[in-house]
Amino acid sequence: MTQPRLAADSSAQTLTVLFVDQSGQLGGAEFALLSLAGRYASRGKVVLLSEGPFRARLEALGVHVQVIGNERVSSIHRQSIRFGWLRALPGIASQVRAIAAEAKRFDVLFLNTQKALVLGALGKPFHRRPVIWYLHDIMSAQHFGFVQRVIVKWIVCHVVDRVVANSRASAQALAALTGGAADRLTVVHNGIDTSIFDSFGSLDASDIAVLRRRLGLPEHAWLAGLFGRIAPWKGQHVAIAALARLQDVHLVLVGDALYGEHAYAQELRDLAKRIGVTERVHFVGFRDEIPAWMKAMDVILHTSTEPEPFGRVIVEGMAAAKPVIATAAGGVTEIIQHQHNGWLVQPGDERELADAVSSLRASPDLAQRLAEQGHADAQRDFSLDGFLRKMTQEIANTTR
Ligand code: UDP
Ligand code: GLC
């Protein structure tokens, strides 16, 4: 890991940055960029490769946004990548040129997603700007196809100046892919604005009842909240299956199928019906007020069946001072220590998940202790200020 030089802080205050992200949707990578781009609003700009609600969220922070979209390139998916690239070649060339023309006006090019990486890095001969990539994925064969991994490997080895990973798990997978460029990899975990969660103060039972009424949730039920986009690997089906083993517990699913996983969303409804828990599953869709929704819960679940690269929702659950049960894989184990600041279960195991929920429900003192430790750890290790300070430093380091 490169040590920052003393002069870095002053140069970091003046560098101009062009950020590029492929999504107009509000996923975790976009929330991470939202806070960072907000910090650079007066001397940065964000290029998005597709329209969506992310644009308005950036603009509300005073960030200048430009959409450089191309339908053919946007529709390349993980599975069809081999042929998708060929069909999209003319679109790719024009996006590469347009991004390069913008990048020339800034000191640093910051790439936040994989399509952004490809399109931004390919233009380097034109823009000649230092390139930093914030890696949000675990680049393993389990998650990504061969062609995509070969392309990423080549770009990381030959074009990118600096890679920052969102967890040690993501960093290790990339190092394994590139054959050990780990010395060029720094890890910067996401940071969360914990003050919004703390602004609720301590809520007693009647405050929680009022909050639940406002959100349209059952006032007196024992509520488990699962936050995140609806997608098979996020494991909502495991939480629904666990409900069948739990008496009286309700499950609140907060999030939407952001990337077209509507068939899976329907499967979840069918599953709930088939196992007779429909009345205890609440699909509430995508919500903006995450702190309020988390505060209304008794426990926060994370159920990803594949290794989670980081998992902002876990830190948010801790910031909400709620006990968090999460699956022990990927970056999660860098956040949660079992029975210290949360509870770890094996991915995909509905029985273990149900047992964990039962244990916390039966033992409010234990649940409270884990929640308090989680809250302290979220504030200490995953603060927004810490994240912004480290990322600003990494951006400055990219120019040396
Ligand atoms: N989120 C949200 N509204 C929702 C569901 C999720 O704002 O209805 C946010 C959530 O608070 C978190 C992010 O979306 O900040 C999801 O990030 P995470 O890293 O947990 O998962 P990702 O979707 O990026 O894999
Ligand atoms: C990605 C990952 C998620 C991570 C987020 C922010 O979307 O799937 O695990 O928390 O990026 O880094």
Side-chain angles (χ1 to χ4, degrees):
M1 194 186 297
T2 315
Q3 290 301 314
R5 290 194 210 151
L6 283 177
D9 279 339
S10 55
S11 71
Q13 304 312 318
T14 54
L15 284 174
T16 61
V17 182
L18 181 70
F19 300 93
V20 186
D21 190 292
Q22 74 200 43
S23 179
Q25 297 300 329
L26 286 163
E30 288 67 38
F31 278 111
L33 178 57
L34 185 63
S35 50
L36 186 60
R39 172 63 61 99
Y40 280 82
S42 62
R43 57 205 163 87
K45 175 173 173 177
V46 173
V47 164
L48 298 180
L49 305 182
S50 46
E51 283 285 359
F54 185 30
R55 177 183 199 149
R57 295 291 289 265
L58 285 161
E59 286 173 345
L61 295 181
V63 178
H64 188 200
V65 180
Q66 181 181 354
V67 175
I68 301 180
N70 183 284
E71 198 30 57
R72 285 241 166 113
V73 184
S74 311
S75 62
I76 301 177
H77 295 301
R78 287 181 193 182
Q79 302 312 323
S80 69
I81 192 164
R82 205 172 308 181
F83 308 105
W85 284 113
L86 289 176
R87 270 202 311 275
L89 264 181
I92 291 173
S94 85
Q95 276 184 306
V96 167
R97 276 197 305 274
I99 293 168
E102 271 309 307
K104 273 187 189 163
R105 303 172 46 233
F106 294 85
D107 296 320
V108 178
L109 179 58
F110 184 107
L111 306 172
N112 198 52
T113 55
Q114 286 188 48
K115 275 184 198 165
L117 170 74
V118 174
L119 298 175
L122 287 181
K124 192 156 184 193
F126 308 113
H127 59 69
R128 297 178 181 280
R129 292 296 179 269
V131 173
I132 177 169
W133 180 32
Y134 192 21
L135 165 64
H136 295 280
D137 298 307
I138 292 184
M139 291 299 312
S140 64
Q142 194 183 0
H143 280 77
F144 296 100
F146 176 74
V147 176
Q148 185 152 354
R149 284 181 292 124
V150 167
I151 294 170
V152 166
K153 176 179 175 176
W154 187 87
I155 290 175
V156 167
C157 293
H158 296 101
V159 187
V160 169
D161 298 279
R162 196 162 195 89
V163 180
V164 177
N166 67 349
S167 66
R168 291 194 290 280
S170 299
Q172 277 157 12
L174 187 68
L177 173 68
T178 56
D183 57 328
R184 281 173 39 209
L185 287 175
T186 314
V187 173
V188 178
H189 292 132
N190 280 218
I192 301 294
D193 186 357
T194 55
S195 67
I196 308 175
F197 293 86
D198 290 339
S199 68
F200 284 78
S202 69
L203 303 178
D204 63 20
S206 72
D207 297 325
I208 298 221
V210 170
L211 181 58
R212 287 180 173 184
R213 220 174 302 146
R214 173 162 82 77
L215 299 175
L217 290 170
E219 257 172 76
H220 303 294
W222 206 84
L223 296 185
L226 176 48
F227 293 73
R229 60 202 159 87
I230 306 283
W233 74 275
K234 290 290 186 181
Q236 281 92 355
H237 58 283
V238 183
I240 292 177
L243 267 198
R245 299 170 177 275
L246 293 161
Q247 296 254 310
D248 305 330
V249 173
H250 285 231
L251 175 67
V252 184
L253 295 173
V254 185
D256 215 341
L258 292 187
Y259 305 109
E261 299 93 341
H262 301 292
Y264 178 63
Q266 187 54 48
E267 275 172 39
L268 294 177
R269 287 188 156 82
D270 295 344
L271 172 65
K273 201 168 169 190
R274 203 166 56 246
I275 63 176
V277 297
T278 304
E279 284 72 39
R280 292 193 282 131
V281 184
H282 308 269
F283 290 88
V284 302
F286 188 91
R287 298 291 172 157
D288 284 328
E289 268 190 293
I290 293 304
W293 283 88
M294 286 196 167
K295 284 284 183 187
M297 304 298 158
D298 291 296
V299 65
I300 306 292
L301 308 182
H302 164 270
T303 55
S304 292
T305 55
E306 291 178 33
E308 180 75 54
F310 177 70
R312 293 173 60 89
V313 288
I314 296 166
V315 179
E316 289 165 349
M318 293 158 73
K322 297 291 170 180
V324 178
I325 300 172
T327 55
V332 176
T333 55
E334 297 163 40
I335 306 171
I336 299 245
Q337 293 155 264
H338 185 49
Q339 295 196 15
H340 173 68
N341 58 1
W343 193 288
L344 293 175
V345 293
Q346 286 311 304
D349 190 335
E350 71 222 37
R351 180 189 296 261
E352 202 183 333
L353 178 62
D355 287 349
V357 171
S358 297
S359 301
L360 291 180
R361 192 179 181 195
S363 183
D365 287 350
L366 170 63
Q368 173 76 9
R369 186 168 59 70
L370 298 182
E372 280 169 14
Q373 186 64 50
H375 180 254
D377 291 355
Q379 277 189 326
R380 191 194 57 211
D381 299 333
F382 304 102
S383 74
L384 184 60
D385 280 352
F387 167 73
L388 293 174
R389 196 170 12 85
K390 287 178 215 157
M391 285 308 269
T392 305
Q393 187 66 63
E394 288 306 319
I395 289 170
N397 290 345
T398 311
T399 63
R400 341 205 115 85

